[in-house]
Amino acid sequence: MLTSLLKMIFGDKNQKALKNVWPIVDEINKEYEKLAGLTDDELREKTSGFKNKINETTAELRSKIDELKSLLRSSDFDGDPNQIYKEIESLDDELDELYEDVLDEILPEAFAVVKDTCRRLVGKSWDAAGNKVNWDMIPYDVQLVGGIVLHQGKIAEMATGEGKTLVATLPIYLNALTGRGVHVVTVNDYLAKRDSEWMG
C-alpha cells in the first residue's frame, strides 16, 4: 500500500527513465528514414565517418597519454613514476568521459545504421551453428529502448523471444566504433556460437 502511494506521488523510477529514452528513439527513427536512399557502400561509409569523428574528438587526449607512457619507458626519465601514473589515470578517466559523450552524440545515427542494415538483410539466409537462418528482423522501438538502456550501462530485462540478441547488436556496434573492444558474455556455449554467427 505504501509503495503504491509513493509511486503515485513520486512516479515509478523506470517510467521516469523511459521518459528520457523515448525522445532518443524518435531521433533514431528520423535518422533511419534518411538512410533508405543510400547505397550499401554509402551505408558502410557511415561506419568510417563515426570512427573518424571519435578519433578526431579523442586525438588530443590519447596523444597526451601516449606521450606520458613514452616518457615512462624513456631511459632518460629520472622523475617520480607514481606521479606520471596518476596523471595517466586521470587522463584515462577524462578519455572515458569523452568517449561516452561522443558515443551518446552519435548514438541515434549509429543505431539507425544498425536498423537499416537489418532492413537490408530481410529475406537473406545463411548458416549459424549448423542451422540455416532466414533474416526477418528489424528492431522495433522497444528494442531500440533496450539498446539505449544497455549502452547506458543499465539492465534491460526482456522475456524469451523478445529479441535480446538483436537488441545487443545496437550497443555492440556503437561501442565497437571506439576500437577499444566489446565483450558479450553468455554462459551457454551453443548460444554464444549461434548468436555470433547469426548476428555477426
Side-chain angles (χ1 to χ4, degrees):
M1 175 72 176
L2 178 60
T3 306
S4 300
L5 183 61
L6 288 172
K7 278 187 184 176
M8 282 174 47
I9 296 169
F10 296 108
D12 182 283
K13 185 179 175 185
N14 290 331
Q15 291 305 317
K16 285 182 182 178
L18 284 174
K19 259 187 209 176
N20 297 328
V21 170
W22 282 110
I24 302 170
V25 171
D26 291 338
E27 283 182 64
I28 294 166
N29 286 323
K30 284 177 189 163
E31 292 295 335
Y32 171 70
E33 295 298 322
K34 296 177 191 175
L35 300 175
L38 299 183
T39 65
D40 288 351
D41 286 337
E42 288 170 331
L43 187 66
R44 279 188 207 95
E45 278 302 307
K46 290 286 187 183
T47 298
S48 299
F50 296 143
K51 287 179 177 180
N52 288 340
K53 181 177 181 66
I54 292 166
N55 287 333
E56 287 168 14
T57 304
T58 60
E60 187 179 334
L61 262 180
R62 287 184 293 107
S63 178
K64 284 180 184 176
I65 292 168
D66 288 343
E67 284 172 24
L68 289 172
K69 287 179 178 178
S70 291
L71 180 63
L72 281 173
R73 288 190 296 268
S74 168
S75 57
D76 298 336
F77 178 68
D78 63 353
D80 179 9
N82 289 328
Q83 184 58 40
I84 302 294
Y85 285 124
K86 281 181 189 173
E87 243 184 287
I88 290 171
E89 189 176 334
S90 174
L91 289 171
D92 272 336
D93 290 343
E94 214 177 310
L95 183 61
D96 285 342
E97 286 177 26
L98 195 54
Y99 274 124
E100 191 175 324
D101 289 345
V102 72
L103 289 179
D104 288 346
E105 184 184 329
I106 65 172
L107 183 149
E109 195 176 355
F111 275 31
V113 166
V114 175
K115 183 174 178 174
D116 196 57
T117 300
C118 290
R119 179 189 64 78
R120 291 169 192 237
L121 288 172
V122 169
K124 297 203 168 40
S125 62
W126 55 88
D127 282 339
N131 296 310
K132 186 174 181 181
V133 292
N134 294 313
W135 190 269
D136 62 353
M137 298 179 287
I138 302 171
Y140 294 112
D141 286 354
V142 292
Q143 291 170 319
L144 297 175
V145 168
I148 294 165
V149 167
L150 287 176
H151 169 67
Q152 292 173 343
K154 299 172 186 162
I155 295 169
E157 185 178 355
M158 299 175 75
T160 300
E162 288 188 337
K164 291 184 287 293
T165 306
L166 181 62
V167 166
T169 62
L170 297 156
I172 288 169
Y173 171 73
L174 177 65
N175 286 273
L177 293 168
T178 65
R180 300 184 344 158
V182 174
H183 297 276
V184 181
V185 179
T186 180
V187 295
N188 185 312
D189 287 342
Y190 169 75
L191 289 180
K193 179 174 172 45
R194 184 201 71 179
D195 292 355
S196 67
E197 293 174 5
W198 183 23
M199 296 291 155

